[in-house]
Amino acid sequence: MYTLLSGLYKYMFQKDEYCVLILGLDNAGKTTFLEQSKTRFNKNYKGMSLSKITTTVGLNIGTVDVGKARLMFWDLGGQEELQSLWDKYYAECHGVIYVIDSTDEERLSESKQAFEKMVTSEALDGVPILVLANKQDVELWNCSGGRGWTGWQAYPLWPHLPQTCLSIPDIKTAFSDCASKIGRRDCLTQACSALTGKGVREGIEWMVKCVVRNVHRPPRQRDIT
Ligand code: G3D
């Protein structure tokens, strides 16, 4: 009877845990994304004010429950000297969320280099990657004359206003030579605003689908050795 009840309890309440790394250059919006995710998915979570978040130095950890899956996020610092620590976490991770600051065209090639290094790491072979083109609210706010969110991947509605944010096609073009290195794995580029929360739920739900599906795939090479 005890076994039956404990089995039932586990079936109903136990979560399958997955480790997901949040990577990207400093100031991309990783911590804001983590806080926004916790606020959106965890009932009663009273997070810090998103506008008061400062850049990640070291490591932030957070947990988000989506159905029967529990995502354990590791938000790693993106400063150049901290990037060398990223690969210490690769072996344990089930998914990667790579955050790009879409308003920072100047650092796009630096971000691409960090992405390329990450994606070619053997320890991450087959791991799903969600690329978040963050801070899309900046473009939309400017381009819609302050009327708020108007849709995905929008181009300026008022062409005479300066475009302050890279679009998804811009980012895909800049990262195009990474395409062959991504290999056979789930990879999605998604527009997002960690600050307003647009795109956050969709991104996380996509990641959950991928990590759950991956568990049923044959183990990665690194697991066999
Ligand atoms: P990091 O953890 O990647 O280093 P943070 O980045 O989450 O600390 O964010 C860095 C800065 O970007 C913060 O501003 C934060 O408010 C801002 N930011 C993060 N996401 C968004 C977004 O979606 N839209 C906009 N407009 N800003 C965002 P400050 O001013 O504190 O440096």
Side-chain angles (χ1 to χ4, degrees), residues 28-75:
K30 299 180 294 299
T31 311
T32 309
F33 173 80
L34 175 60
E35 279 304 306
Q36 184 66 260
S37 306
K38 289 196 282 187
T39 307
R40 299 227 147 203
F41 283 91
N42 298 348
K43 264 191 237 156
N44 306 326
Y45 177 73
K46 297 230 179 334
M48 57 178 107
S49 163
L50 292 181
S51 57
K52 295 213 171 97
I53 289 172
T54 53
T55 199
T56 315
V57 180
L59 167 74
N60 292 308
I61 295 176
T63 303
V64 163
D65 289 343
V66 188
K68 274 183 70 65
R70 170 162 294 166
L71 299 187
M72 290 173 306
F73 287 116
W74 294 66
D75 159 24

Side-chain angles (χ1 to χ4, degrees), residues 22-34 50-57 60 75-79 99 101 103 133-138 192-198:
I22 306 179
L23 305 176
L25 299 186
D26 50 297
N27 207 47
K30 299 180 294 299
T31 311
T32 309
F33 173 80
L34 175 60
L50 292 181
S51 57
K52 295 213 171 97
I53 289 172
T54 53
T55 199
T56 315
V57 180
N60 292 308
D75 159 24
L76 306 183
Q79 291 87 342
V99 186
D101 180 347
T103 65
N134 192 31
K135 307 196 186 181
Q136 292 286 319
D137 57 292
V138 175
C192 161
S193 166
L195 205 57
T196 66
K198 290 286 176 184

